[in-house]
Amino acid sequence: AQSVTQLDSQVPVFEEAPVELRCNYSSSVSVYLFWYVQYPNQGLQLLLKYLSGSTLVESINGFEAEFNKSQTSFHLRKPSVHISDTAEYFCAVTLRGGSQGNLIFGKGTKLSVKP
Amino acid sequence: DTGVSQDPRHKITKRGQNVTFRCDPISEHNRLYWYRQTLGQGPEFLTYFQNEAQLEKSRLLSDRFSAERPKGSFSTLEIQRTEQGDSAMYLCASSRDRGWYGYTFGSGTRLTVV
């Protein structure tokens, strides 16, 4: 069975500082990987995904994540955060080639950006 | 297209009562998913539909829970004889075909059982 571990439940940072949100997964088969973001009082939004190809994937708002198969990790990074990045971030995994497409989520990391 | 809609946004009910939630997916999405999110946890898969067929149910979905998707459009999730442990955010999502292209989530229904 697959599982996702987000190593930090809360990450406080100052505005314009870099940030890394860590995600490790466990699976005996190949997987697809996702990061979702949840702003206060809103639904989850897809931030970026790794399906195949380049192991470095980017979002439109400056976040990037790198798939590392040997370390079974998919850490999310941003070189300079803004106040508006304050949200909860969820890493998720699903089986490559699986028929269901249902996602297994981590417990989330709350990113708090301070001025 | 206004995205995935869920109704109601909040529901407070007394223990033992039945509740029903509704989800309207994006119209061209043939897959619909229900998840539950409790405080401090990530969303947990409950069930999913492809068109009107319910293809998988999690073991989290006890026999007090039932979900339907008549005609492959909107879906309802009913909880009978609610318990305090049912208090959670219930999330609906939809996708085209397989979910690895990314789901679109609704804003959720927050259930509080008192």
Side-chain angles (χ1 to χ4, degrees):
Chain A
Q2 304 81 45
S3 66
V4 176
T5 302
Q6 291 185 242
L7 296 165
D8 305 294
S9 59
Q10 296 188 52
V11 174
V13 293
F14 288 105
E15 194 173 20
E16 298 184 4
V19 71
E20 178 179 80
L21 307 184
R22 296 179 292 170
C23 172
N24 286 88
Y25 69 94
S26 172
S27 176
S28 58
V29 296
S30 296
V31 296
Y32 297 127
L33 295 156
F34 305 83
W35 276 98
Y36 280 81
V37 58
Q38 188 173 32
Y39 298 103
N41 300 316
Q42 295 187 28
L44 283 82
Q45 301 173 31
L46 179 65
L47 188 60
L48 46 76
K49 60 182 181 283
Y50 171 75
L51 303 182
S52 65
S54 172
T55 57
L56 184 67
V57 291
E58 299 177 349
S59 72
I60 58 173
N61 57 353
F63 283 93
E64 64 179 29
E66 186 162 20
F67 169 54
N68 188 318
K69 187 176 182 179
S70 63
Q71 297 188 2
T72 61
S73 68
F74 191 54
H75 301 331
L76 182 69
R77 302 183 183 96
K78 188 170 185 179
S80 176
V81 294
H82 302 288
I83 298 286
S84 60
D85 293 323
T86 295
E88 190 159 19
Y89 293 79
F90 293 93
C91 183
V93 63
T94 191
L95 283 180
R96 180 186 291 267
S99 60
Q100 296 88 353
N102 49 302
L103 297 174
I104 308 299
F105 285 88
K107 292 186 177 182
T109 298
K110 290 184 179 178
L111 175 63
S112 175
V113 182
K114 305 180 180 186
Chain B
D1 194 340
T2 57
V4 177
S5 299
Q6 292 190 246
D7 184 68
R9 290 295 302 274
H10 303 276
K11 179 71 176 179
I12 299 174
T13 191
K14 292 183 178 179
R15 190 173 51 186
Q17 297 293 305
N18 299 344
V19 294
T20 300
F21 311 139
R22 177 180 170 122
C23 172
D24 287 90
I26 292 173
S27 57
E28 63 264 29
H29 285 183
N30 61 346
R31 290 203 172 200
L32 186 148
Y33 308 81
W34 285 99
Y35 282 77
R36 181 178 70 184
Q37 186 178 16
T38 54
L39 202 61
Q41 302 293 321
E44 297 171 295
F45 171 75
L46 293 178
T47 188
Y48 91 100
F49 293 83
Q50 180 160 328
N51 300 312
E52 66 275 11
Q54 187 173 18
L55 296 187
E56 186 178 355
K57 294 193 289 186
S58 162
R59 57 186 166 80
L60 294 175
L61 210 67
S62 75
D63 56 6
R64 295 185 298 106
F65 289 70
S66 63
E68 295 182 342
R69 193 183 182 196
K71 302 179 182 179
S73 55
F74 71 92
S75 176
T76 58
L77 178 68
E78 180 183 16
I79 309 175
Q80 296 182 327
R81 305 181 303 281
T82 52
E83 302 172 356
Q84 286 191 322
D86 297 330
S87 295
M89 177 74 84
Y90 289 84
L91 299 168
C92 177
S94 67
S95 73
R96 286 191 189 90
D97 298 322
R98 291 172 175 78
W100 52 75
Y101 291 104
Y103 297 175
T104 301
F105 278 88
S107 297
T109 293
R110 182 168 294 284
L111 173 66
T112 302
V113 181
V114 297

